Amino acid sequence: MATQDELKQRAAFRAVEFVESGMVVGLGTGSTTEHAVKRIAALLTAGELNNIVGIPTSIRTEKIALESNLPLVGFDTHQEIDLTIDGADEVDPELNLIKGGGGALLREKVVAQASRRNIIIVDETKLVAQLGTNWALPIEVIPFARCTEEKFLTGFGGTVRLRTNDDGTPYRTDQNNLILDTNFGKIVDPYNLAAKLNERAGIVEHGLFLGLATDVIVAGEGEIKHLTRTSPNRKG
Ligand code: 5RP
């Protein structure tokens, strides 16, 4: 039986088959995407791909890419991304996502919104009938607003937990913000929830990625499924 990490690698390698020479590639964050970043770099080194540049979604991914000799650029020179490969924490049947387990949700959403195509790579444990089934929603807040946003989230049924490091100190994002992992139970209407969260000044971003994934590649025991978006693209 394949390990979860082997399944992640299979999904990543399948996604990299869609990368073509000359592309600007968005590089997601997390253990699944790490396989994709290293695979693209290896194909570049081998001369099977050329003229690829990446835009990383986190300092963590930037480091992995640079260590693997994958050239990086920023939005100052490249505002359009051909293809982004990223992971997810949960995927629903409409290909809506919860992301942010790795804390990179803000840059990940910026990169996703700048991308023509967003391929999400997951192992089959990430598929759920309804978002919120296994994963609390990561919500990035500015430190100044932490307590008022916590009250706001609790006010409509969220159970809020401040994300911490192993030593108990508050986790800080690449923007030096905090993350409130908020459990709403199964999320009945993610668009309505996203709209509420989008209205709050202290909430910089949340991990609901609605209408952004164009493709989801799911690695399971024995097979890899490639799901594509069929419903209209409502961004959230
Ligand atoms: C980071 C993310 C990751 O893509 C998500 O947490 C999945 O991570 P992994 O591939 O390690 O399971 O959203 O912010």
Short mmCIF file of all heavy atoms in Angstrom, two decimals, residues 68-111:
data_model
loop_
_atom_site.label_atom_id
_atom_site.label_comp_id
_atom_site.label_asym_id
_atom_site.label_seq_id
_atom_site.Cartn_x
_atom_site.Cartn_y
_atom_site.Cartn_z
N SER A 68 16.78 24.21 -5.02
CA SER A 68 16.69 23.26 -6.14
C SER A 68 17.09 23.90 -7.47
O SER A 68 16.91 23.29 -8.52
CB SER A 68 15.26 22.74 -6.25
OG SER A 68 14.73 22.39 -5.02
N ASN A 69 17.51 25.16 -7.43
CA ASN A 69 17.91 25.90 -8.65
C ASN A 69 16.75 26.19 -9.59
O ASN A 69 16.91 26.15 -10.81
CB ASN A 69 19.01 25.17 -9.42
CG ASN A 69 20.29 25.11 -8.61
OD1 ASN A 69 20.63 26.08 -7.93
ND2 ASN A 69 20.97 23.98 -8.65
N LEU A 70 15.57 26.44 -9.02
CA LEU A 70 14.44 26.85 -9.85
C LEU A 70 14.40 28.39 -9.84
O LEU A 70 14.21 28.99 -8.78
CB LEU A 70 13.16 26.26 -9.26
CG LEU A 70 11.96 26.08 -10.18
CD1 LEU A 70 10.88 25.24 -9.52
CD2 LEU A 70 11.38 27.35 -10.69
N PRO A 71 14.58 29.04 -10.99
CA PRO A 71 14.61 30.51 -11.01
C PRO A 71 13.28 31.13 -10.58
O PRO A 71 12.21 30.65 -10.98
CB PRO A 71 14.90 30.86 -12.47
CG PRO A 71 15.31 29.60 -13.13
CD PRO A 71 14.76 28.47 -12.32
N LEU A 72 13.35 32.17 -9.78
CA LEU A 72 12.14 32.82 -9.27
C LEU A 72 12.03 34.25 -9.76
O LEU A 72 13.04 34.90 -10.00
CB LEU A 72 12.16 32.80 -7.73
CG LEU A 72 12.18 31.42 -7.08
CD1 LEU A 72 12.24 31.54 -5.57
CD2 LEU A 72 10.96 30.60 -7.51
N VAL A 73 10.79 34.71 -9.89
CA VAL A 73 10.53 36.11 -10.22
C VAL A 73 9.43 36.61 -9.29
O VAL A 73 8.90 35.84 -8.49
CB VAL A 73 10.09 36.28 -11.71
CG1 VAL A 73 11.22 35.93 -12.67
CG2 VAL A 73 8.85 35.43 -12.00
N GLY A 74 9.07 37.89 -9.43
CA GLY A 74 8.00 38.45 -8.61
C GLY A 74 6.98 39.16 -9.48
O GLY A 74 7.15 39.28 -10.71
N PHE A 75 5.94 39.70 -8.83
CA PHE A 75 4.89 40.41 -9.58
C PHE A 75 5.40 41.73 -10.16
O PHE A 75 4.76 42.30 -11.03
CB PHE A 75 3.68 40.66 -8.68
CG PHE A 75 2.85 39.43 -8.46
CD1 PHE A 75 2.67 38.91 -7.19
CD2 PHE A 75 2.24 38.78 -9.52
CE1 PHE A 75 1.90 37.78 -6.98
CE2 PHE A 75 1.47 37.64 -9.33
CZ PHE A 75 1.30 37.15 -8.05
N ASP A 76 6.56 42.22 -9.66
CA ASP A 76 7.10 43.46 -10.22
C ASP A 76 7.44 43.28 -11.71
O ASP A 76 7.29 44.22 -12.49
CB ASP A 76 8.34 43.92 -9.43
CG ASP A 76 9.35 42.81 -9.21
OD1 ASP A 76 8.99 41.63 -9.32
OD2 ASP A 76 10.53 43.14 -8.95
N THR A 77 7.83 42.08 -12.11
CA THR A 77 8.17 41.85 -13.52
C THR A 77 7.15 40.97 -14.24
O THR A 77 7.03 41.03 -15.46
CB THR A 77 9.56 41.18 -13.65
OG1 THR A 77 9.56 39.99 -12.85
CG2 THR A 77 10.68 42.12 -13.21
N HIS A 78 6.42 40.13 -13.52
CA HIS A 78 5.48 39.18 -14.15
C HIS A 78 4.14 39.24 -13.41
O HIS A 78 4.03 38.76 -12.30
CB HIS A 78 6.03 37.75 -14.06
CG HIS A 78 7.30 37.55 -14.83
ND1 HIS A 78 8.50 38.07 -14.44
CD2 HIS A 78 7.54 36.87 -15.99
CE1 HIS A 78 9.44 37.73 -15.31
NE2 HIS A 78 8.88 37.00 -16.25
N GLN A 79 3.14 39.82 -14.05
CA GLN A 79 1.84 39.96 -13.37
C GLN A 79 0.87 38.83 -13.72
O GLN A 79 -0.20 38.73 -13.14
CB GLN A 79 1.19 41.31 -13.68
CG GLN A 79 1.95 42.51 -13.13
CD GLN A 79 3.09 42.94 -14.03
OE1 GLN A 79 2.97 42.87 -15.24
NE2 GLN A 79 4.19 43.36 -13.44
N GLU A 80 1.24 38.04 -14.73
CA GLU A 80 0.33 36.95 -15.12
C GLU A 80 1.02 35.61 -14.98
O GLU A 80 2.17 35.47 -15.40
CB GLU A 80 -0.13 37.14 -16.57
CG GLU A 80 -1.15 38.23 -16.69
CD GLU A 80 -1.66 38.41 -18.10
OE1 GLU A 80 -1.47 37.50 -18.94
OE2 GLU A 80 -2.24 39.47 -18.36
N ILE A 81 0.31 34.68 -14.41
CA ILE A 81 0.87 33.34 -14.18
C ILE A 81 0.13 32.36 -15.09
O ILE A 81 -1.09 32.38 -15.17
CB ILE A 81 0.70 32.96 -12.69
CG1 ILE A 81 1.49 33.95 -11.82
CG2 ILE A 81 1.14 31.53 -12.44
CD1 ILE A 81 1.29 33.76 -10.32
N ASP A 82 0.90 31.54 -15.81
CA ASP A 82 0.27 30.59 -16.73
C ASP A 82 -0.42 29.47 -15.97
O ASP A 82 -1.55 29.08 -16.30
CB ASP A 82 1.33 29.98 -17.67
CG ASP A 82 1.96 31.04 -18.55
OD1 ASP A 82 1.20 31.66 -19.32
OD2 ASP A 82 3.17 31.28 -18.45
N LEU A 83 0.26 28.97 -14.98
CA LEU A 83 -0.22 27.77 -14.29
C LEU A 83 0.29 27.78 -12.86
O LEU A 83 1.48 28.03 -12.65
CB LEU A 83 0.34 26.55 -15.04
CG LEU A 83 0.26 25.19 -14.38
CD1 LEU A 83 -1.19 24.77 -14.24
CD2 LEU A 83 1.01 24.16 -15.22
N THR A 84 -0.60 27.53 -11.92
CA THR A 84 -0.16 27.38 -10.52
C THR A 84 -0.46 25.96 -10.05
O THR A 84 -1.52 25.40 -10.37
CB THR A 84 -0.86 28.43 -9.63
OG1 THR A 84 -0.29 29.70 -9.91
CG2 THR A 84 -0.70 28.13 -8.15
N ILE A 85 0.47 25.42 -9.32
CA ILE A 85 0.27 24.10 -8.70
C ILE A 85 0.32 24.30 -7.19
O ILE A 85 1.29 24.85 -6.66
CB ILE A 85 1.37 23.10 -9.14
CG1 ILE A 85 1.35 22.93 -10.66
CG2 ILE A 85 1.17 21.76 -8.43
CD1 ILE A 85 2.45 22.02 -11.19
N ASP A 86 -0.74 23.89 -6.51
CA ASP A 86 -0.81 24.10 -5.06
C ASP A 86 -1.58 22.95 -4.42
O ASP A 86 -2.32 22.22 -5.10
CB ASP A 86 -1.49 25.45 -4.77
CG ASP A 86 -1.16 26.00 -3.39
OD1 ASP A 86 -0.54 25.28 -2.58
OD2 ASP A 86 -1.53 27.16 -3.12
N GLY A 87 -1.44 22.81 -3.13
CA GLY A 87 -2.16 21.77 -2.39
C GLY A 87 -3.44 22.33 -1.79
O GLY A 87 -3.83 23.47 -2.05
N ALA A 88 -4.10 21.53 -0.96
CA ALA A 88 -5.31 21.99 -0.25
C ALA A 88 -5.52 21.10 0.97
O ALA A 88 -4.98 19.99 1.04
CB ALA A 88 -6.53 21.91 -1.16
N ASP A 89 -6.30 21.61 1.90
CA ASP A 89 -6.64 20.83 3.10
C ASP A 89 -7.95 20.08 2.92
O ASP A 89 -8.13 18.99 3.45
CB ASP A 89 -6.69 21.76 4.31
CG ASP A 89 -5.37 22.46 4.50
OD1 ASP A 89 -4.35 21.76 4.62
OD2 ASP A 89 -5.33 23.71 4.45
N GLU A 90 -8.89 20.69 2.22
CA GLU A 90 -10.16 20.03 1.89
C GLU A 90 -10.60 20.46 0.49
O GLU A 90 -10.40 21.61 0.10
CB GLU A 90 -11.26 20.40 2.90
CG GLU A 90 -11.11 19.74 4.26
CD GLU A 90 -12.33 19.94 5.16
OE1 GLU A 90 -13.19 20.81 4.87
OE2 GLU A 90 -12.41 19.23 6.17
N VAL A 91 -11.25 19.53 -0.21
CA VAL A 91 -11.79 19.81 -1.55
C VAL A 91 -13.22 19.28 -1.57
O VAL A 91 -13.45 18.11 -1.23
CB VAL A 91 -10.98 19.06 -2.64
CG1 VAL A 91 -11.56 19.33 -4.02
CG2 VAL A 91 -9.50 19.44 -2.58
N ASP A 92 -14.18 20.13 -1.96
CA ASP A 92 -15.57 19.66 -2.02
C ASP A 92 -15.94 19.28 -3.47
O ASP A 92 -15.13 19.49 -4.38
CB ASP A 92 -16.53 20.67 -1.37
CG ASP A 92 -16.90 21.85 -2.28
OD1 ASP A 92 -16.47 21.89 -3.44
OD2 ASP A 92 -17.63 22.73 -1.80
N PRO A 93 -17.13 18.73 -3.69
CA PRO A 93 -17.48 18.27 -5.05
C PRO A 93 -17.50 19.38 -6.10
O PRO A 93 -17.38 19.11 -7.29
CB PRO A 93 -18.87 17.66 -4.87
CG PRO A 93 -18.93 17.28 -3.42
CD PRO A 93 -18.14 18.33 -2.70
N GLU A 94 -17.67 20.65 -5.68
CA GLU A 94 -17.62 21.77 -6.65
C GLU A 94 -16.20 22.27 -6.88
O GLU A 94 -15.99 23.31 -7.50
CB GLU A 94 -18.44 22.95 -6.10
CG GLU A 94 -19.91 22.83 -6.29
CD GLU A 94 -20.61 24.15 -5.91
OE1 GLU A 94 -20.31 25.20 -6.51
OE2 GLU A 94 -21.42 24.11 -4.98
N LEU A 95 -15.24 21.59 -6.30
CA LEU A 95 -13.82 21.98 -6.35
C LEU A 95 -13.56 23.28 -5.59
O LEU A 95 -12.63 24.03 -5.92
CB LEU A 95 -13.26 22.08 -7.78
CG LEU A 95 -13.50 20.87 -8.70
CD1 LEU A 95 -12.65 20.97 -9.96
CD2 LEU A 95 -13.25 19.56 -7.99
N ASN A 96 -14.40 23.58 -4.63
CA ASN A 96 -14.08 24.63 -3.67
C ASN A 96 -13.18 24.04 -2.60
O ASN A 96 -13.22 22.84 -2.33
CB ASN A 96 -15.36 25.21 -3.05
CG ASN A 96 -16.15 26.00 -4.08
OD1 ASN A 96 -15.56 26.63 -4.97
ND2 ASN A 96 -17.46 25.96 -3.99
N LEU A 97 -12.39 24.91 -1.98
CA LEU A 97 -11.31 24.42 -1.13
C LEU A 97 -11.28 25.10 0.22
O LEU A 97 -11.68 26.26 0.34
CB LEU A 97 -9.94 24.72 -1.78
CG LEU A 97 -9.77 24.50 -3.28
CD1 LEU A 97 -8.43 25.08 -3.73
CD2 LEU A 97 -9.85 23.02 -3.61
N ILE A 98 -10.72 24.40 1.20
CA ILE A 98 -10.14 25.05 2.38
C ILE A 98 -8.63 24.92 2.23
O ILE A 98 -8.12 23.84 1.96
CB ILE A 98 -10.61 24.42 3.71
CG1 ILE A 98 -12.05 24.84 4.01
CG2 ILE A 98 -9.70 24.86 4.86
CD1 ILE A 98 -12.59 24.35 5.36
N LYS A 99 -7.95 26.05 2.36
CA LYS A 99 -6.49 26.08 2.32
C LYS A 99 -5.98 26.87 3.52
O LYS A 99 -6.73 27.54 4.20
CB LYS A 99 -6.01 26.75 1.02
CG LYS A 99 -6.14 25.81 -0.19
CD LYS A 99 -5.56 26.39 -1.45
CE LYS A 99 -4.15 26.89 -1.36
NZ LYS A 99 -3.18 25.92 -0.81
N GLY A 100 -4.68 26.77 3.73
CA GLY A 100 -4.08 27.57 4.80
C GLY A 100 -3.50 26.75 5.92
O GLY A 100 -3.00 27.30 6.91
N GLY A 101 -3.54 25.41 5.76
CA GLY A 101 -2.92 24.56 6.78
C GLY A 101 -1.46 24.89 6.99
O GLY A 101 -0.94 24.80 8.11
N GLY A 102 -0.81 25.33 5.92
CA GLY A 102 0.61 25.70 6.01
C GLY A 102 0.80 27.18 6.29
O GLY A 102 1.94 27.66 6.31
N GLY A 103 -0.30 27.90 6.49
CA GLY A 103 -0.22 29.31 6.88
C GLY A 103 0.01 30.28 5.74
O GLY A 103 0.18 31.48 5.97
N ALA A 104 -0.01 29.78 4.49
CA ALA A 104 0.36 30.66 3.37
C ALA A 104 -0.85 31.15 2.58
O ALA A 104 -0.71 31.59 1.44
CB ALA A 104 1.32 29.91 2.45
N LEU A 105 -2.05 31.11 3.21
CA LEU A 105 -3.28 31.35 2.46
C LEU A 105 -3.33 32.69 1.73
O LEU A 105 -3.84 32.77 0.60
CB LEU A 105 -4.49 31.21 3.38
CG LEU A 105 -4.59 32.15 4.57
CD1 LEU A 105 -6.02 32.40 4.92
CD2 LEU A 105 -3.88 31.54 5.77
N LEU A 106 -2.76 33.74 2.32
CA LEU A 106 -2.87 35.05 1.69
C LEU A 106 -2.11 35.08 0.37
O LEU A 106 -2.67 35.38 -0.69
CB LEU A 106 -2.35 36.14 2.64
CG LEU A 106 -2.30 37.56 2.05
CD1 LEU A 106 -3.65 38.01 1.53
CD2 LEU A 106 -1.78 38.55 3.09
N ARG A 107 -0.84 34.73 0.41
CA ARG A 107 -0.06 34.75 -0.84
C ARG A 107 -0.59 33.69 -1.82
O ARG A 107 -0.56 33.90 -3.03
CB ARG A 107 1.42 34.51 -0.55
CG ARG A 107 2.05 35.65 0.23
CD ARG A 107 3.55 35.54 0.26
NE ARG A 107 4.10 36.41 1.29
CZ ARG A 107 5.39 36.66 1.43
NH1 ARG A 107 6.27 36.10 0.62
NH2 ARG A 107 5.83 37.46 2.39
N GLU A 108 -1.07 32.58 -1.28
CA GLU A 108 -1.62 31.54 -2.17
C GLU A 108 -2.84 32.08 -2.92
O GLU A 108 -3.01 31.80 -4.10
CB GLU A 108 -2.01 30.30 -1.35
CG GLU A 108 -0.80 29.51 -0.88
CD GLU A 108 -1.14 28.37 0.06
OE1 GLU A 108 -2.19 28.41 0.72
OE2 GLU A 108 -0.33 27.45 0.15
N LYS A 109 -3.68 32.87 -2.23
CA LYS A 109 -4.86 33.38 -2.94
C LYS A 109 -4.48 34.45 -3.93
O LYS A 109 -5.03 34.53 -5.04
CB LYS A 109 -5.92 33.89 -1.94
CG LYS A 109 -7.30 33.96 -2.57
CD LYS A 109 -8.39 34.35 -1.61
CE LYS A 109 -8.94 33.20 -0.81
NZ LYS A 109 -10.15 33.57 -0.04
N VAL A 110 -3.50 35.28 -3.58
CA VAL A 110 -3.02 36.30 -4.53
C VAL A 110 -2.52 35.62 -5.81
O VAL A 110 -2.86 36.01 -6.93
CB VAL A 110 -1.89 37.15 -3.90
CG1 VAL A 110 -1.26 38.07 -4.94
CG2 VAL A 110 -2.41 37.97 -2.72
N VAL A 111 -1.71 34.59 -5.62
CA VAL A 111 -1.14 33.87 -6.77
C VAL A 111 -2.25 33.16 -7.56
O VAL A 111 -2.28 33.23 -8.79
CB VAL A 111 -0.03 32.90 -6.29
CG1 VAL A 111 0.34 31.90 -7.37
CG2 VAL A 111 1.20 33.70 -5.85
#
